[in-house]
Amino acid sequence: MTSARPAVADAVSLTDHLRHWARHRPQQRAFSHVDFPDGSSSGRHRTLGWSALDARARAVAARLGTVASPGERAALLLPQGLDYAAAFLGCLYAHVIAVPLFGPQLPGHEGRLAAVLADCEPACLLTDSTTTPAVRDFVRDRGLPDVPVVPVDQLPIQHTGFGFGDPDEPDPAPEPDEIAYLQYTSGSTRSPAGVMISHANVVANARQAIDAFVADPEAATTVGWLPLFHDMGLVLSIAAPVVGGFPSVLMDPVAFLQDPSRWLRLLGSYEGTISAAPNFAYDYCVARTDPALVDELRLDRVRVLINGSEPIRARTVHRFRTAFEPAGLDPAVPCPAYGLAEATVFVTAGSPDEPLSTVACDADALGKGRIEETSGEGAAVVLVSCGAPVGQELRIVGADGAVLPDGRVGEIQLRGPNIGLGYWKRAGLSAETFGFGATGDWLRTGDLGALHDGRLLVTGRLKDVIIVDGRNHYPQDIEETVQTAVSLIRRDRLAAFGVTRPVGVGEELVVVAEHRRDTDPTAEEAGDAERTVRAEVSARHGLRLGSLLLVPPGAVPRTSSGKVSRAAARARFLDGGFGPR
């Protein structure tokens, strides 16, 4: 087999790497998509080699050359799959700014899709033939500009010397700081904003991910169900495999939610598999996988399972390891990580060769901004270490702008080649967040954390912190207490937030929680739940609960990436959207 590495100095963009693999490994498996047409299907695989993937991307680029100019935007409104990958890479070939999005069929996010399309002002919309009618209807019904709609699965494909250049001839290389794509944030604490990710940013972050998680690119495969419009899905399932030259296997998020064992089976189908999921997905696997199936799985082949994008709970990791250890799962496979769209995605990661590291913190000290280890479990908040920075710098900064020492909680700030260029059309917010004009240009993440033995502990979002009587309380800790105390609450489907007290002084705690789908709580059961939660929150956090609202499944707002939006939940509560206060 021909060797692997493109010359680093020449590899400015993902398409430089793609061209390399298409030339040197044309028939080797590159990207596969597995769909499940019915509940009994074991999965249908469609696969492209590197040459075929490159040809499809070039076909998209050729068509883009007729409907968009370099620097204009192309919105990707496609289902998860091979066409999505080809459309994204085709944008990069054409020097058109890709905007990874989703089709209008994604329930509950029509308003967000319309807002993003209005913000990015695309010159065209990339879809497939099955999605095109829904996209046209959506554009018309929302009064959006009537731009060309391009079904990428209908484009003619040639493997040599066609439309957009010959694979054997170098195409005009993008400048490193040229915008490759707009990564719209999930909007968990504010309206979605498009982070401008350059060609250099995404290549740098792909290399950082490879350094952190891939021991041997010659024996690695990524298996992913995370949406490709999500930052982690895009980098782990498209960018890193293209840079590293290893295969990527895609499945639809809905297929995972229907049956998580599909993901688990795919993980065991390849050597050295690498995948990622938010914390809830690991609990979901435990809850929805028949124990009799565990003996059929081959999880000894898994290299890394990244846990990120939500608060990482030690109990979840323990439950997952215990449930799937009989399938050969190595205890060191679960790998906590921290990242955000403004840094392309990956920032810190635990070592795949080391077991989970946790720190039991004194709750009172943590509320005052200090990490103090304690052995008293009743008064402890257990934080999971998210590892060390990968190829970038990280510091913790106090409210006064001073850099804090280890063990002190402050805002996480970052600097490195993966930090985005700013927000699309938002110069003021860009300057405030990305530090333009300030010494060092450090990214302000808006996340709170501390360094402990050189490793990052994430404590929460700055805008989500609940301040009661001068003490900081982190909503994810309160939410864990609530869902552990009351069994009728759906796990990770609740939001804790502060609201101004009726007397107008200080904040009080409100928790909005979805009840389980198989229950319909009576008024008496709701009252019992509130009394239980009030006692537990008081005992563990020293807080008085203002109210607990039990709402139907699906009522707590979530972002397009699946995270609970506490800001949206708070706004809905204040507007009376959950019923009378």
Side-chain angles (χ1 to χ4, degrees):
M1 181 179 293
T2 306
S3 168
R5 308 295 132 216
V8 172
D10 297 332
V12 173
S13 71
L14 292 182
T15 48
D16 290 338
H17 291 272
L18 177 58
R19 186 185 304 108
H20 174 90
W21 302 123
R23 183 180 299 121
H24 294 287
R25 298 182 174 182
Q27 303 306 316
Q28 180 178 304
R29 179 170 58 91
F31 281 42
S32 301
H33 178 247
V34 184
D35 68 349
F36 300 86
D38 55 62
S40 62
S41 173
S42 59
R44 298 185 306 191
H45 291 65
R46 292 177 57 230
T47 297
L48 295 176
W50 288 110
S51 178
L53 177 62
D54 184 66
R56 288 197 177 210
R58 289 173 178 275
V60 173
R63 182 70 175 95
L64 283 172
T66 69
V67 295
S69 300
E72 291 189 309
R73 276 73 57 209
L76 280 62
L77 278 63
L78 287 150
Q80 189 102 333
L82 302 177
D83 289 329
Y84 203 113
F88 177 77
L89 294 166
C91 290
L92 306 193
Y93 261 134
H95 297 242
V96 169
I97 299 171
V99 186
L101 291 171
F102 43 88
Q105 303 96 322
L106 185 66
H109 297 285
E110 299 88 347
R112 179 179 186 272
L113 178 59
V116 172
L117 289 174
D119 185 66
C120 72
E121 300 176 291
C124 63
L125 308 176
L126 303 183
T127 68
D128 64 4
S129 52
T130 60
T131 310
T132 294
V135 168
R136 292 189 188 280
D137 290 345
F138 183 83
V139 169
R140 183 191 64 243
D141 295 344
R142 293 281 174 160
L144 295 167
D146 185 16
V147 298
V149 178
V150 179
V152 298
D153 59 333
Q154 300 297 310
L155 298 176
I157 298 171
Q158 297 174 261
H159 290 269
T160 58
F162 69 99
F164 192 80
D166 189 317
D168 293 324
E169 295 295 328
D171 301 309
E175 294 296 323
D177 288 340
E178 184 179 312
I179 302 171
Y181 62 98
L182 301 181
Q183 180 66 63
Y184 275 84
T185 60
S186 60
S188 59
T189 60
R190 64 179 176 220
S191 299
V195 182
M196 298 181 288
I197 302 296
S198 72
H199 290 272
N201 290 154
V202 66
V203 169
N205 204 229
R207 288 174 175 153
Q208 290 162 344
I210 292 168
D211 289 344
F213 306 120
V214 182
D216 179 10
E218 303 295 329
T221 298
T222 62
V223 175
W225 59 265
L226 290 178
L228 295 177
F229 60 81
H230 184 268
D231 48 12
M232 188 179 289
L234 185 67
V235 172
L236 192 64
S237 289
I238 295 182
V242 168
V243 169
F246 47 83
S248 174
V249 178
L250 304 169
M251 63 179 284
D252 194 277
V254 173
F256 168 78
L257 293 173
Q258 290 172 340
D259 183 357
S261 71
R262 293 167 170 170
W263 178 53
L264 298 171
R265 289 183 186 277
L266 284 177
L267 290 175
S269 298
Y270 308 92
E271 289 293 342
T273 48
I274 300 157
S275 193
N279 192 83
F280 90 85
Y282 297 101
D283 276 325
Y284 191 69
C285 286
V286 174
R288 292 290 302 273
T289 302
D290 186 341
L293 175 65
V294 173
D295 290 338
E296 301 176 18
L297 300 175
R298 287 286 314 277
L299 300 184
D300 57 307
R301 310 177 83 180
V302 181
R303 161 73 179 165
V304 178
L305 290 178
I306 303 163
N307 187 334
S309 87
E310 287 184 336
I312 301 167
R313 305 193 190 282
R315 291 180 183 178
T316 296
V317 178
H318 176 73
R319 281 192 290 264
F320 186 84
R321 288 193 309 202
T322 301
F324 296 105
E325 186 177 11
L329 184 73
D330 188 317
V333 159
C335 185
Y338 165 74
L340 68 165
E342 288 81 353
T344 308
V345 63
F346 289 107
V347 174
T348 69
S351 171
D353 300 316
E354 298 177 2
L356 184 77
S357 174
T358 61
V359 179
C361 304
D362 180 88
D364 288 335
L366 185 61
K368 297 173 183 175
R370 302 192 308 274
I371 301 294
E372 294 182 3
E373 292 192 69
T374 179
S375 57
E377 187 173 334
V381 175
V382 178
L383 298 178
V384 175
S385 168
C386 291
V390 181
Q392 55 202 285
E393 299 174 79
L394 183 152
R395 69 182 187 182
I396 306 297
V397 176
D400 60 357
V403 178
L404 299 176
D406 274 23
R408 295 290 302 279
V409 176
E411 183 180 28
I412 302 166
Q413 296 190 0
L414 307 170
R415 184 168 64 184
N418 54 304
I419 305 302
L421 304 178
Y423 296 114
W424 178 253
K425 298 195 305 187
R426 298 194 182 191
L429 183 60
S430 295
E432 175 187 342
T433 305
F434 288 81
F436 301 146
T439 302
D441 290 348
W442 288 83
L443 171 71
R444 297 189 59 185
T445 66
D447 291 325
L448 293 173
L451 289 170
H452 180 78
D453 294 335
R455 298 173 178 268
L456 179 66
L457 303 175
V458 179
T459 59
R461 288 285 298 171
L462 187 59
K463 293 182 179 179
D464 284 341
V465 170
I466 302 166
I467 303 175
V468 179
D469 298 329
R471 292 184 64 235
N472 291 345
H473 300 272
Y474 299 100
Q476 68 270 18
D477 298 333
I478 296 168
E479 291 157 5
E480 176 66 11
T481 296
V482 172
Q483 65 188 10
T484 301
V486 180
S487 61
L488 59 80
I489 290 175
R490 295 183 74 197
R491 289 199 65 84
D492 300 315
R493 296 295 192 276
L494 69 167
F497 49 85
V499 298
T500 303
R501 288 170 174 158
V503 295
V505 179
E507 286 195 324
E508 69 176 13
L509 173 66
V510 173
V511 178
V512 178
E514 297 179 9
H515 60 72
R516 293 200 322 266
R517 292 187 183 277
D518 60 352
T519 64
D520 187 9
T522 64
E524 181 179 358
E525 289 171 329
D528 289 344
E530 184 168 34
R531 284 186 287 274
T532 300
V533 167
R534 180 169 281 111
E536 287 295 315
V537 168
S538 176
R540 290 194 62 84
H541 304 280
L543 271 174
R544 181 183 180 279
L545 177 70
S547 60
L548 169 69
L549 276 71
L550 292 178
V551 296
V556 175
R558 298 178 74 80
T559 70
S560 60
S561 61
K563 293 183 283 189
V564 167
S565 177
R566 299 186 184 98
R570 183 178 185 275
R572 184 175 296 179
F573 171 80
L574 293 174
D575 290 341
F578 294 115
R581 294 174 57 182

